[in-house]
Amino acid sequence: MPRMSKIELFVAIRRDLAAGMSGRAIEEKHRVGRRTVSAAMASALPPPRKAMPPRGSKLDPFKPAIDDILRADLDAPRKQRHTVRRIYHRLLDEHGMADVSYQVVRTYVADRKPKIRAESGRGPIKAFFPQTHRPGAEAEVDFGEVVINLRGEPVTCMLFSFRMSFSGKAIHRIFASGGQEAFFEGHVHALKRLGGAPTGKVRYDNLRSAVAKVLGFSRQRIETQRWTAFRSHYGLDVFYCQPGH
């Protein structure tokens, strides 16, 4: 017979108490102590288990040394900062660490490094910049690879996406290839579905279908001639994202 759970035990004890069975008889029947019977009398739900104290780690004696290294690295030149492997070997050579794996050290460093930066006032600044867009004014276009299931086989296709910034309404179309013709056709399909072109900027990555050359790290571009003519025909005011931003 399977052993009953704690809550099932409390149900059985409370049922026996309601039937008039004495506390001593219940203790003998269920092989429990007086405290368990009293707890069942007080509540139908067993008290929650006490949280076990955190188990110690063999790394605990060496955590202050790791923290000191990470704090020193805050002011060190980039090429002189410690890798996890270098920290691990310093603990072995300089602090006599033993029976602690590299993975344990790596996990601790990954957890403590951002906390130490934050404690020193060098952590990432938490800020919120609300975005405001006028209805029908701005949009963004993406044209990239997507894997679809075609007759049970994964096939890589190109997904065209035209998304309005204010409403979030997006028009999608999948193409078999990523040529310029597909790029243009995606625009024609989206603009027909939306009822016209946005009145403001349309953001683009530096897609080959539109950009022939990026001029340095500025927003200046040499566009493909066909794209220049196409966007001029539809009145698209384009905005190109800077590489790496």
Side-chain angles (χ1 to χ4, degrees), residues 45 66 74 83 164 175 223 240:
L45 293 176
I66 297 175
L74 293 174
T83 63
M164 299 301 297
F175 297 93
E223 297 179 333
Y240 295 110

Side-chain angles (χ1 to χ4, degrees), residues 38-191:
S38 299
M41 291 175 62
S43 172
L45 293 176
R49 290 186 177 183
K50 293 183 179 179
M52 297 295 292
R55 296 178 59 185
S57 168
K58 292 183 179 180
L59 184 64
D60 287 347
F62 309 101
K63 289 179 179 179
I66 297 175
D67 291 356
D68 290 342
I69 294 173
L70 295 177
R71 291 190 183 98
D73 278 353
L74 293 174
D75 298 316
R78 181 175 296 274
K79 292 186 177 180
Q80 296 180 17
R81 296 173 189 170
H82 289 72
T83 63
V84 179
R85 190 166 297 278
R86 176 62 183 144
I87 293 175
Y88 178 72
H89 285 294
R90 281 194 61 180
L91 295 175
L92 294 176
D93 298 338
E94 301 175 15
H95 299 274
M97 186 181 72
D99 298 328
V100 178
S101 69
Y102 170 80
Q103 186 60 43
V104 171
V105 176
R106 181 179 179 181
T107 301
Y108 179 76
V109 171
D111 178 66
R112 282 293 293 158
K113 194 171 185 178
K115 293 179 180 178
I116 287 178
R117 288 190 63 84
E119 291 168 1
S120 66
R122 305 186 190 186
I125 299 175
K126 294 183 179 180
F128 174 73
F129 294 93
Q131 295 190 33
T132 57
H133 304 284
R134 290 176 291 118
E138 299 176 24
E140 59 187 54
V141 171
D142 289 308
F143 192 46
E145 292 185 349
V146 63
V147 178
I148 66 171
N149 188 310
L150 184 62
R151 298 190 182 95
E153 296 291 334
V155 178
T156 300
C157 298
M158 297 296 292
L159 174 64
F160 178 88
S161 174
F162 194 108
R163 179 180 178 275
M164 299 301 297
S165 301
F166 176 79
S167 65
K169 180 178 178 61
I171 307 298
H172 301 94
R173 192 154 194 174
I174 291 180
F175 297 93
S177 68
Q180 193 176 58
E181 293 79 6
F183 183 65
F184 289 173
E185 185 180 337
H187 280 83
V188 173
H189 173 69
L191 296 178

Side-chain angles (χ1 to χ4, degrees), residues 203-217:
R203 293 184 296 277
Y204 291 84
D205 288 331
N206 300 287
L207 304 166
R208 291 183 180 180
S209 300
V211 175
K213 185 177 181 180
V214 178
L215 300 179
F217 290 96

